[in-house]
């Protein structure tokens, strides 16, 4: 009887999926459930007590700071997405269609991954001496006669925050787009040229539609990473800017875990809504 059950394809499939299911339940679902539960707890200046209260959410949605911080988070995510998409698409297009040798493609792709051999914090902080008031960028511009005095907005500003985001996360856009472009049948490009399409028309009507799954995957990576980031905003803005991640980090530093959990739940729901909207444009499972 047991042998007959094990031969059943459905039962065997569930047994094979059971270990991964247990891992996901233990390390993904359970922590999220705990965060949701804690978000309804109460807190004083010195203690946290289990309860079912809406105070954390009421305070969160009634504070104008919340809306300013979420607006800043969306602003960083949108600008970073636009820049990483432009750079990532150009790099992936060059590697996929202008580099003929597979060996050279792999070599150039590995060059793109070299920055990831160091930590994100080191790569981010490396911009500070470059962009500072007496940094390399200002000194070069002054020596070339482009400016007369150092530019203050190069560091500790929205510019430096977005620059760091683009530097850190562009590869997350390059990889899925490059992977999708490499799957495009080259005969489709030849057919487009044979039918009189120029390079731009081929790009818009052939390559771009076939690359949409890669663009969408890269978009999900970049948007979710930027919206959850807090270290980059803290260091590159000199603690003069804030996003939702900074809000959560500040609450944790003050031991206000229920408030931090409530903010985390709202951020998670926001990210899931954004991803759901993105997936309405492309069915990734069907097109990959």
């Amino acid at each position: 009887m047991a042998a007959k059950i094990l031969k059943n394809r459905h039962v065997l499939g569930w047994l094979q999926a059971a270990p991964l299911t247990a891992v996901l339940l233990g390390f993904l679902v359970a922590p999220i459930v705990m965060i949701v539960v804690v978000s309804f707890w109460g807190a004083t200046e010195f203690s946290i007590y289990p309860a079912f209260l809406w105070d954390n959410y009421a305070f969160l949605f009634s504070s104008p700071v919340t809306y300013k911080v979420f607006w800043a988070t969306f602003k960083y995510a949108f600008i970073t997405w636009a820049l990483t998409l432009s750079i990532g698409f150009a790099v992936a297009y060059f590697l996929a269609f202008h580099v003929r040798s597979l060996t050279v493609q792999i070599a150039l792709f590995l060059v793109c991954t070299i920055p990831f051999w160091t930590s994100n914090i080191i790569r981010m902080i490396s911009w500070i001496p470059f962009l500072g008031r007496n940094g390399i960028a200002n000194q070069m511009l002054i020596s070339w006669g482009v400016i007369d005095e150092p530019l203050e907005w190069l560091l500790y500003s929205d510019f430096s925050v977005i620059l760091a985001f683009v530097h850190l996360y562009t590869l997350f856009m390059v990889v899925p787009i490059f992977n999708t472009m490499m799957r495009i049948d080259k005969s489709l490009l030849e057919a487009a040229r044979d039918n009189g399409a120029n390079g731009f028309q081929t790009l818009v009507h052939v390559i771009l539609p076939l690359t949409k799954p890669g663009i969408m995957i890269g978009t999900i990576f970049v948007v979710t990473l930027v919206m959850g980031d807090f270290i980059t905003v803290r260091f590159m803005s000199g603690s003069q800017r804030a996003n939702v991640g900074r809000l959560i980090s500040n609450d944790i530093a003050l031991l206000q875990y229920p408030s931090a959990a409530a903010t985390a739940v709202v951020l998670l729901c926001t990210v899931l809504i954004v991803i759901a909207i993105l997936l309405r444009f492309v069915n990734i499972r069907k097109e990959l």
Side-chain angles (χ1 to χ4, degrees):
M1 182 67 178
K4 184 180 294 185
I5 293 175
L6 290 176
K7 288 182 180 180
N8 188 300
R9 294 177 59 185
H10 298 288
V11 175
L12 186 60
W14 279 107
L15 290 175
Q16 290 174 340
L20 181 58
T21 303
V23 171
L24 290 176
L25 289 175
F27 294 97
L28 178 63
V29 177
I32 292 176
V33 171
M34 181 58 67
I35 291 173
V36 173
V37 171
V38 172
S39 71
F40 291 100
W41 287 9
T44 65
E45 189 175 350
F46 305 104
S47 65
I48 299 172
Y49 55 91
F52 186 81
L53 305 172
W54 292 94
D55 295 359
N56 298 313
Y57 291 98
F59 176 77
L60 188 65
F61 287 109
S62 63
S63 173
V65 175
T66 302
Y67 299 99
K68 291 180 181 179
V69 169
F70 267 89
W71 167 252
T73 303
F74 279 113
K75 178 182 68 175
Y76 290 142
F78 177 78
I79 297 175
T80 303
W81 167 78
L83 294 174
T84 55
L85 176 60
S86 301
I87 298 171
F89 190 91
V91 172
Y93 182 85
F94 174 77
L95 292 177
F97 298 112
H98 289 276
V99 180
R100 302 299 181 185
S101 171
L102 180 61
T103 304
V104 178
Q105 282 181 338
I106 296 174
L108 292 176
F109 184 77
L110 291 176
V111 169
C112 294
T113 65
I114 288 177
F116 278 74
W117 297 358
T118 60
S119 79
N120 280 11
I121 296 178
I122 293 175
R123 287 186 287 139
M124 174 185 59
I125 293 178
S126 65
W127 283 105
I128 294 178
F130 182 82
L131 299 174
R133 178 179 176 82
N134 298 315
I136 299 173
N138 272 317
Q139 293 300 319
M140 288 177 60
L141 292 174
I142 292 174
S143 65
W144 291 346
V146 179
I147 57 176
D148 297 324
E149 57 183 20
L151 299 174
E152 301 289 348
W153 53 266
L154 288 181
L155 186 61
Y156 301 143
S157 62
D158 285 341
F159 171 81
S160 59
V161 171
I162 292 171
L163 179 64
F165 275 143
V166 172
H167 176 210
L168 293 175
Y169 300 134
T170 296
L171 191 63
F172 290 95
M173 190 68 79
V174 173
V175 173
I177 294 177
F178 174 71
N179 182 57
T180 307
M181 284 184 176
M182 289 298 294
R183 298 184 181 188
I184 296 177
D185 190 349
K186 300 300 187 292
S187 62
L188 295 176
L189 307 182
E190 295 177 2
R193 285 193 292 268
D194 292 341
N195 282 277
N198 56 34
F200 181 76
Q201 291 173 327
T202 303
L203 174 65
V204 172
H205 297 291
V206 179
I207 297 176
L208 196 58
L210 295 175
T211 314
K212 283 196 298 184
I215 293 174
M216 201 56 59
I217 293 172
T219 298
I220 292 172
F221 277 138
V222 171
V223 170
T224 54
L225 287 170
V226 172
M227 293 187 70
D229 188 286
F230 68 95
I231 290 291
T232 305
V233 176
R234 176 184 175 185
F235 281 99
M236 298 307 295
S237 71
S239 296
Q240 299 178 37
R241 302 290 190 276
N243 65 345
V244 182
R246 280 293 313 277
L247 205 62
I248 297 172
S249 176
N250 291 342
D251 283 339
I252 292 175
L254 296 173
L255 303 181
Q256 296 297 312
Y257 296 117
S259 177
T263 309
V265 171
V266 174
L267 176 62
L268 176 62
C269 293
T270 304
V271 172
L272 291 177
I273 291 172
V274 171
I275 293 175
I277 293 173
L278 293 175
L279 293 179
R280 295 286 296 178
F281 294 98
V282 176
N283 188 339
I284 296 177
R285 183 180 299 179
K286 179 180 177 181
E287 297 199 27
L288 285 180

